[in-house]
Amino acid sequence: MSQVTAPQDGAAVLDAEEIEQISRAAWYYYNDGLTQNQIADMLGVSRIKVSRLLEKGRQSGLIELRINSPHQGSMALQEELIAAFGLADARVVPAAPVGTAGAARIGRAAASLLMQHLVPNDLLAIGWGDATSTTLRYMAPVFPQSNISLVSLTGGVSAYIGTTGLYGPQGFAHLIPTPLRVSSPELAEMLRLEPYVRHVLDMALTAKLAMIGVGSVARSATLVRYGYCTATEIELFTRRGAVGDILGYFYDRDGQILDLEVHRHVVAVTPQDMRQIPSVVAAAAGPEKVEAILGLLRGRLANILVTDEPTARDLLRRI
């Protein structure tokens, strides 16, 4: 939508004739949808003159443009998040209408962002969790067409990757064939040294782009639901300063990985090694995830964020 207003203080001074010409040109162009050639005929001037009138109107403040879109606030928040946390990119989706599944909207936004960054024959490294699986379901049809392959950053991914149609004889997915967490540090170390597991872990670090979820320390956390941690353990980790986890590694409010015994049971790329991947996309939203996302961003454990508008506002308020 366009508006024609009086020139702002400090704007270029326009004479009465120019103001009238700019006003007519702006009305015809923005409100009536006429082309610059049609306006030129109506005003008896050249098309270049019309273009200059419109530009002068914008520069002087006589013409103001306003985008009436539910995405307007989201796009502004994206820029604020990028500036506040030094991100490479961000996507913020508008708040979900009542009755709409927020996870699906985040998944669609993450899938859209990833497809903008991926090119044919690329390798996408993937973490573990609901956000990743939701995103992959939206992306599944694209992988065979673009010959894009997946490689897992953690064990346990096969628990949900089968629902996406990407794991099978087609060979689009290279997964660590272990659980995320195993019974002892000794077993975890043995598995990490197994040739196939080692090759997948090494391959993951050659990816240019990774997609991870952000785990919370709520009793309903995905790690608890899948049986990798108990609610009692989560409470203990919280008392030791944990605010969230990535790839099964828990970190504090500053994004520092905690010294916890559970980490020695995890079969996954370490957060430190993951820094070798140039672009790490984290997708998460909701009030229960705010502290976890804040810690993640403070520790620079990811450099691209996909979230929703209420979560983005909460993050910016807590800087």
Side-chain angles (χ1 to χ4, degrees), residues 1 12 16 40-41 50 63 73 104 106 145 149 153 207 218 229 235 239 246 257-258 271 273 299 301 316:
M1 177 181 177
D41 290 340
V50 173
I63 298 172
I106 296 297
Q145 299 170 19
S149 296
L153 293 159
C229 286
E235 183 173 348
R239 292 181 181 279
I246 55 167
I257 304 300
L258 296 169
D273 284 343
L301 297 170
L316 291 166

Side-chain angles (χ1 to χ4, degrees), residues 132-153:
T132 304
S133 61
T134 302
T135 300
L136 290 178
R137 281 196 288 274
Y138 286 108
M139 297 177 69
V142 179
F143 285 92
Q145 299 170 19
S146 302
N147 199 34
I148 294 169
S149 296
L150 297 175
V151 60
S152 64
L153 293 159

Side-chain angles (χ1 to χ4, degrees), residues 225-265:
R225 287 193 286 109
Y226 277 80
Y228 285 125
C229 286
T230 65
T232 301
E233 284 180 307
I234 291 292
E235 183 173 348
L236 174 61
F237 302 156
T238 303
R239 292 181 181 279
R240 291 184 175 176
V243 299
D245 88 277
I246 55 167
L247 311 181
Y249 292 89
F250 290 84
Y251 55 85
D252 66 16
R253 65 183 304 278
D254 295 314
Q256 299 301 306
I257 304 300
L258 296 169
D259 183 13
L260 300 175
E261 173 64 19
V262 67
H263 297 163
R264 288 175 269 283
H265 295 245

Side-chain angles (χ1 to χ4, degrees), residues 21-280:
Q21 282 190 312
I22 290 170
S23 300
R24 290 183 183 279
W27 187 269
Y28 293 144
Y29 188 69
Y30 293 107
N31 289 0
D32 292 341
L34 301 184
T35 67
Q36 292 186 14
N37 282 330
Q38 290 172 318
I39 297 168
D41 290 340
M42 293 178 70
L43 297 182
V45 298
S46 68
R47 188 199 63 78
I48 293 176
K49 174 69 172 177
V50 173
S51 178
R52 288 174 179 167
L53 287 171
L54 293 172
E55 181 60 26
K56 195 167 188 177
R58 287 191 291 266
Q59 291 181 355
S60 68
L62 186 65
I63 298 172
E64 293 180 354
L65 298 181
R66 184 174 72 244
I67 301 171
N68 291 324
S69 163
H71 294 276
Q72 182 180 2
S74 299
M75 289 186 286
L77 285 170
Q78 287 173 189
E79 296 304 316
E80 290 184 55
L81 286 173
I82 290 169
F85 295 102
L87 299 174
D89 201 355
R91 291 292 183 277
V92 177
V93 301
V98 175
T100 303
R105 301 169 82 249
I106 296 297
R108 283 196 298 270
S112 174
L113 181 145
L114 287 169
M115 293 316 304
Q116 291 173 26
H117 285 264
L118 290 165
V119 298
N121 302 311
D122 258 354
L123 178 67
L124 173 64
I126 55 171
W128 187 89
D130 289 343
T132 304
S133 61
T134 302
T135 300
L136 290 178
R137 281 196 288 274
Y138 286 108
M139 297 177 69
V142 179
F143 285 92
Q145 299 170 19
S146 302
N147 199 34
I148 294 169
S149 296
L150 297 175
V151 60
S152 64
L153 293 159
T154 74
V157 171
S158 58
Y160 65 76
I161 197 73
T163 66
T164 67
L166 294 170
Y167 189 40
Q170 300 91 345
F172 292 114
H174 308 278
L175 307 183
I176 299 171
T178 71
L180 172 64
R181 179 184 177 183
V182 296
S183 59
S184 70
E186 293 77 20
L187 177 57
E189 181 62 20
M190 286 175 58
L191 290 171
R192 286 192 290 265
L193 293 175
E194 277 292 314
Y196 182 78
V197 174
R198 185 74 261 157
H199 291 158
V200 176
L201 290 170
D202 290 343
M203 184 190 298
L205 298 180
T206 69
K208 294 183 296 183
L209 191 65
M211 162 77 196
I212 62 171
V214 183
S216 73
V217 288
R219 289 177 175 269
S220 58
T222 308
L223 286 173
V224 176
R225 287 193 286 109
Y226 277 80
Y228 285 125
C229 286
T230 65
T232 301
E233 284 180 307
I234 291 292
E235 183 173 348
L236 174 61
F237 302 156
T238 303
R239 292 181 181 279
R240 291 184 175 176
V243 299
D245 88 277
I246 55 167
L247 311 181
Y249 292 89
F250 290 84
Y251 55 85
D252 66 16
R253 65 183 304 278
D254 295 314
Q256 299 301 306
I257 304 300
L258 296 169
D259 183 13
L260 300 175
E261 173 64 19
V262 67
H263 297 163
R264 288 175 269 283
H265 295 245
V266 171
V267 183
V269 167
T270 67
Q272 182 59 39
D273 284 343
M274 192 171 64
R275 294 184 189 277
Q276 297 177 43
I277 301 174
S279 299
V280 178

